[in-house]
Amino acid sequence: MSTESMAPVSNTDTLDDLDEFRRRAKEFLRAEVGPARASLTAGLRKLGTDEDDLREVAHDRALQRTFFDAGFAGITVPVEFGGQGLTRAHQLVLNEELEGYDYPVRLQVPTMTPCMAVLLEFGTEQQKLTHIPAILRGEELWMQFLSEPSGGSDVAGALMSAVRDGDEWVLNGSKVWTTGAWWSDWGLCLARTNWDVPKHRGLSVFIFPIDAAGIEIQRIEMLNGNMDFCQEYLDDVRVPDSDRVGGVDDGWTVGTRWMFHERMSSNSPFVTRPQELERSSLDGAALRRIARDGGISGTDAAQELVGEGEMLTLVGSALGRRVGQGMRTGTLSDQSAAIARLYGGLSLVRRNTIALELAGSAGAAWSDDDGELALRGEDFLMRQASCIGGGTTEMASNVIAERVLGMPRERALDRDVAFRDVPRGPAPEEN
């Protein structure tokens, strides 16, 4: 399925004129949406207490409902599932006009994409009718149950077991690095349903409420105190077969598109967020403010670092647009999303390093009076997260080499071997 087909259009005769749509968007944002919150660019920083986090989640749900009631939710989602049935161009117009305004950040990734995007492509009609309107109204926050404690980036090596029992499946195992599972509603989960075939052929995808019986959530504290990441333990969790997404043992077909939508999150037609959010998070202007507050903005060394940071953000913006356009027009394969993902991860690592170099000693210790210098040390220590979250940059490099450039595939000892017979650590429990 092409990138363009991710954004269905109901009927071109009913499309809003883009100028009129822009006028309506401006009017809506001015009248009903407040200015951007500081937390919108906080990333993985710890800003408050758990109660503060829950208030932010409630705020996002209410704000999503405001967008929905005004006709600005699900811009490219078909009308029959509660969306507006418009085009990617309309979504881009809304994202451009969002600059400087608040928006429901926690409803975007991974709820709108990859989770809702996967439901739109592979869900049954009933699954779509049940969940997609609820997502667009802000009533359901979704998380992806994908990574596993022993799996690293080898998603196809999932050990989460799903065994059929009549009209139900019984799931056992553990998932990890699930951002925000403790305050979310539904999970999209990849599980192994067949141990007697090679690893890619024995997987299936399920959906279930995160508060279902048998699910225990443990939060993981990171070095900066943030506890949004979670590990989940599933103990005989029963899921009706009607909540299976895609065919039995055909989960890799779903999973491949799932990871595509994840890599495409910054260019997804389902995501509502300011167009230049990534650029403004740590661009040349932000780096100039750090140099200013550190009292070194006039030095040649600082100007070189600021220039390098601005170059990296400009290239990232241009690359994202080029890759997105190439996939929409078919001149680049869908796998080319890995190019932007690889660059984005490496670029943010370097920009956080530049920020620390500009901050100087304030990178090690800072006070509330240090302005833009504060927290640069924490951001530096957390910098590698941009190369891990959402699929590692190493995996993106493999995708680029093998599926974009056509280079020989990496040697794999488990190819064409029944997954039950693949050597691993602790043996899986018998099913």
Side-chain angles (χ1 to χ4, degrees):
M1 182 177 291
S2 71
T3 309
E4 190 66 18
S5 62
M6 293 193 307
V9 176
S10 58
N11 185 337
T12 54
D13 293 336
T14 66
L15 295 182
D16 274 359
D17 175 85
L18 285 177
D19 290 338
E20 171 60 16
F21 182 81
R22 187 182 298 276
R23 185 197 64 76
R24 289 200 298 112
K26 286 181 176 178
E27 186 175 289
F28 161 68
L29 293 170
R30 280 197 300 265
E32 301 189 48
V33 180
R37 289 168 284 164
S39 59
L40 294 181
T41 56
L44 295 176
R45 286 178 174 176
K46 174 69 173 175
L47 294 182
T49 65
D50 288 353
E51 290 72 23
D52 294 329
D53 289 343
L54 293 176
R55 276 192 290 272
E56 288 270 322
V57 173
H59 175 86
D60 281 325
R61 290 182 190 271
L63 190 55
Q64 177 67 31
R65 182 60 192 240
T66 300
F67 275 68
F68 178 84
D69 288 343
F72 289 100
I75 300 299
T76 62
V77 173
V79 173
E80 59 266 36
F81 304 128
Q84 303 303 311
L86 299 175
T87 69
R88 172 189 288 271
H90 291 82
Q91 183 67 65
L92 289 176
V93 165
L94 178 59
N95 291 353
E96 288 170 2
E97 295 302 324
L98 267 179
E99 194 73 31
Y101 286 99
D102 199 359
Y103 73 102
V105 58
R106 288 170 184 78
L107 268 296
Q108 304 310 314
V109 179
T111 296
M112 298 297 178
T113 195
C115 294
M116 185 187 73
V118 167
L119 285 180
L120 275 169
E121 283 196 46
F122 297 98
T124 64
E125 192 74 1
Q126 188 57 50
Q127 288 169 347
K128 295 176 187 176
L129 290 171
T130 299
H131 296 291
I132 292 177
I135 288 172
L136 297 182
R137 291 193 298 265
E139 297 165 0
E140 291 185 5
L141 276 154
W142 282 61
M143 293 296 150
Q144 43 184 343
F145 283 26
L146 194 59
S147 298
E148 297 195 0
S150 61
S153 292
D154 184 15
V155 174
L159 297 175
M160 171 74 71
S161 170
V163 178
R164 187 148 192 169
D165 181 17
D167 291 334
E168 295 182 323
W169 293 84
V170 182
L171 273 64
N172 282 284
S174 182
K175 296 289 183 179
V176 72
W177 308 125
T178 311
T179 310
W182 68 283
W183 43 252
S184 297
D185 307 301
W186 280 78
L188 182 71
C189 180
L190 185 71
R192 183 158 305 281
T193 46
N194 191 338
W195 296 76
D196 296 319
V197 294
K199 63 181 182 181
H200 293 87
R201 301 180 204 162
L203 299 164
S204 302
V205 174
F206 302 91
I207 60 176
F208 46 73
I210 295 177
D211 63 355
I215 299 180
E216 177 187 346
I217 297 174
Q218 291 187 2
R219 299 168 66 187
I220 301 170
E221 184 173 7
M222 293 186 288
L223 61 87
N224 64 356
N226 184 300
M227 294 183 68
D228 256 6
F229 285 142
C230 301
Q231 181 168 355
E232 303 79 33
Y233 298 88
L234 276 67
D235 182 12
D236 287 341
V237 175
R238 303 189 78 86
V239 178
D241 188 56
S242 57
D243 280 347
R244 172 173 45 81
V245 179
V248 175
D249 295 346
D250 194 29
W252 192 243
T253 299
V254 181
T256 301
R257 290 296 296 176
W258 178 344
M259 286 177 276
F260 162 75
H261 286 296
E262 184 180 50
R263 289 194 294 268
M264 279 293 294
S265 59
S266 61
N267 283 302
S268 172
F270 304 119
V271 169
T272 293
R273 64 182 173 193
Q275 183 72 17
E276 294 297 324
L277 181 64
E278 169 64 19
R279 171 177 164 72
S280 61
S281 63
L282 204 54
D283 61 1
L287 295 172
R288 274 195 297 275
R289 291 194 295 272
I290 297 172
R292 177 203 63 199
D293 289 358
I296 60 170
S297 57
T299 66
D300 290 344
Q303 291 181 10
E304 285 185 12
L305 289 171
V306 170
E308 181 185 352
E310 178 67 358
M311 179 272 293
L312 289 170
T313 52
L314 287 172
V315 170
S317 295
L319 181 65
R321 289 193 297 271
R322 174 68 185 89
V323 170
Q325 181 185 35
M327 290 191 294
R328 286 194 297 277
T329 58
T331 57
L332 292 174
S333 75
D334 287 353
Q335 300 296 332
S336 300
I339 298 172
R341 191 275 171 272
L342 173 62
Y343 181 87
L346 297 177
S347 171
L348 196 51
V349 167
R350 178 57 188 152
R351 283 183 283 150
N352 272 305
T353 303
I354 290 173
L356 178 74
E357 293 172 2
L358 292 170
S361 59
W366 57 87
S367 70
D368 292 341
D369 298 329
D370 282 335
E372 296 287 337
L373 304 178
L375 298 171
R376 296 304 167 190
E378 278 192 8
D379 289 351
F380 174 78
L381 293 174
M382 295 291 296
R383 70 195 185 286
Q384 207 61 31
S386 68
C387 290
I388 299 172
T392 66
T393 48
E394 286 82 1
M395 294 299 289
S397 296
N398 268 7
V399 170
I400 294 167
E402 297 175 1
R403 302 178 194 174
V404 178
L405 300 177
M407 298 173 71
R409 295 197 64 175
E410 186 178 32
R411 187 185 180 200
L413 297 177
D414 57 0
R415 189 166 296 146
D416 299 325
V417 176
F419 192 70
R420 186 184 298 279
D421 298 329
V422 174
R424 61 180 68 87
E429 295 180 4
E430 289 295 325
N431 302 312

